[in-house]
């Protein structure tokens, strides 16, 4: 679902203002989640001491991340954004290790590096996906989105010890949208929603439900079970699936070297799932993160 997101959002921001799109996407998604949360759990309460951590997660995971993401798509192609997004697993590994959250074994580092090699083969082998032809601003914004997304994943494991993925995602979406809203108000005021096509509304709907709610619930659950680094390693599959979707939807060609890169990506994910490669996750309070 996330592999299709750059293509969907690329189309959506062609009809809806780049800043208005994420505010609507996460604002509407957050309100829907709030209603479901009230019925599902019977309470909307969060401890006061956890509010700063939730706001920090929302700031990086929604506000800054989405601002970088939509403007990256307006400055470069969806395939370039998807390919650069594949650096997320390695960025997460670096950040988690740098703050002492995880101590990773050699097998996990090897799988992360192997995945990067696979991504390089996919990108370098594409006749139209070479990074040398990616506009600098779009590439910088796409990488900024990756860093923010990776940073926002780190506090989630601590919060999952006290709240469900539903509650964390609800407040992340709402808080992130509210922080972005002041910057998006001019765009919302000038947006002619009557001129948005059915396909444009379908793009927003897909982004709200599938890549806003469903994928994040799955990802938060994965973080709680295996840690942020091992969950993020599956981001490499987004590049492989992105190529397949580009072939199916955009008519792009795939070269043999890209197929080899895809096999390397799959191999890196399999390697990361081996028991011997499971990282040792440190206690958040002992590591001084909280």
């Amino acid at each position: 679902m996330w592999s299709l997101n750059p293509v969907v959002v690329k189309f959506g921001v062609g009809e809806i203002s780049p800043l208005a799109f994420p505010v609507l996407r996460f604002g509407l998604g957050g309100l829907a989640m709030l209603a479901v949360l009230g019925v599902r759990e019977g309470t909307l309460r969060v401890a006061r001491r956890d509010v700063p951590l939730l706001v920090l997660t929302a700031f990086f995971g929604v506000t800054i991340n989405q601002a970088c993401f939509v403007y990256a798509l307006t400055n470069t192609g969806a395939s370039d954004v998807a390919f650069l997004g594949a650096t997320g697993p390695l960025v997460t590994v670096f950040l988690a290790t740098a703050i002492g959250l995880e101590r990773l074994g050699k097998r996990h580092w090897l799988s992360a590096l192997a995945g990067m090699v696979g991504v390089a083969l996919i990108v370098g082998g594409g006749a139209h996906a070479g990074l040398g032809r990616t506009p600098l601003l779009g590439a910088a914004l796409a990488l900024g989105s990756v860093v923010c997304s990776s940073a926002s994943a780190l506090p989630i494991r601590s919060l999952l010890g006290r709240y469900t993925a539903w509650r964390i995602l609800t407040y992340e979406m709402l808080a992130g949208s509210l922080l972005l809203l002041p910057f998006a108000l001019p765009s919302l005021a000038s947006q002619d929603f009557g001129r948005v096509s059915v396909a444009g509304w379908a793009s927003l709907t897909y982004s709200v439900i599938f890549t806003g709610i469903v994928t994040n619930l799955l990802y938060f659950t994965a973080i709680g079970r295996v840690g942020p680094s091992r969950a993020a390693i599956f981001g490499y599959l987004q590049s492989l699936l992105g190529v397949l979707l580009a072939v199916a939807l955009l008519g792009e060609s795939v070269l043999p070297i890209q197929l080899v890169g895809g096999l390397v990506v799959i191999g890196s994910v399999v390697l990361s799932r081996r028991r011997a490669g499971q990282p040792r996750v440190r206690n958040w309070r002992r590591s001084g993160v909280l």
Side-chain angles (χ1 to χ4, degrees), residues 113-129:
L113 293 174
M116 286 300 295
V117 171
V119 170
L121 292 174
I122 293 172
V123 175
H128 303 290

Side-chain angles (χ1 to χ4, degrees), residues 84-260:
L84 289 167
T87 60
L90 199 56
V91 172
T92 302
V93 170
F94 286 147
L95 292 177
T97 304
I99 66 174
L101 173 61
E102 296 183 357
R103 296 192 300 271
L104 304 178
K106 292 181 180 179
R107 188 184 297 273
H108 190 90
W109 281 107
L110 181 60
S111 67
L113 293 174
M116 286 300 295
V117 171
V119 170
L121 292 174
I122 293 172
V123 175
H128 303 290
L131 292 181
R133 288 184 287 277
T134 301
L136 181 60
L137 178 59
L141 289 170
L143 289 172
S145 175
V146 170
V147 173
C148 290
S149 179
S150 298
S152 71
L154 301 182
I156 290 173
R157 189 180 181 94
S158 174
L159 292 168
L160 283 169
R162 298 183 289 279
Y163 307 105
T164 63
W166 284 82
R167 196 174 307 191
I168 297 170
L169 179 58
T170 297
Y171 286 109
E172 181 186 18
M173 295 175 77
L174 289 174
S177 300
L178 288 174
L179 291 171
L180 187 58
L181 182 59
F183 304 97
L185 280 176
S187 299
L188 288 167
S190 61
Q191 175 70 47
D192 185 359
F193 290 102
R195 298 179 65 88
V196 179
S197 67
V198 173
W201 289 117
S203 169
L204 180 62
T205 302
Y206 179 90
S207 296
V208 170
I209 297 175
F210 295 102
T211 61
I213 296 175
V214 177
T215 50
N216 279 296
L217 285 173
L218 293 173
Y219 187 52
F220 284 15
T221 302
I223 290 173
R225 294 188 179 185
V226 301
S229 292
R230 294 191 75 220
I233 202 75
F234 286 83
Y236 285 131
L237 291 175
Q238 290 181 229
S239 288
L240 175 60
L241 295 176
V243 171
L244 298 178
L245 290 170
V247 171
L249 301 177
L250 303 177
E252 296 181 2
S253 60
V254 178
L255 301 178
I257 190 172
Q258 292 179 291
L259 296 177
V260 173

Side-chain angles (χ1 to χ4, degrees), residues 263-285:
L263 294 175
V264 174
V265 168
I266 294 174
S268 72
V269 175
V270 172
L271 182 63
S272 75
R273 287 176 56 84
R274 296 285 296 274
R275 282 290 178 185
Q278 186 169 349
R280 297 184 295 277
V281 181
R282 297 183 61 185
N283 182 283
W284 276 81
R285 294 188 181 278

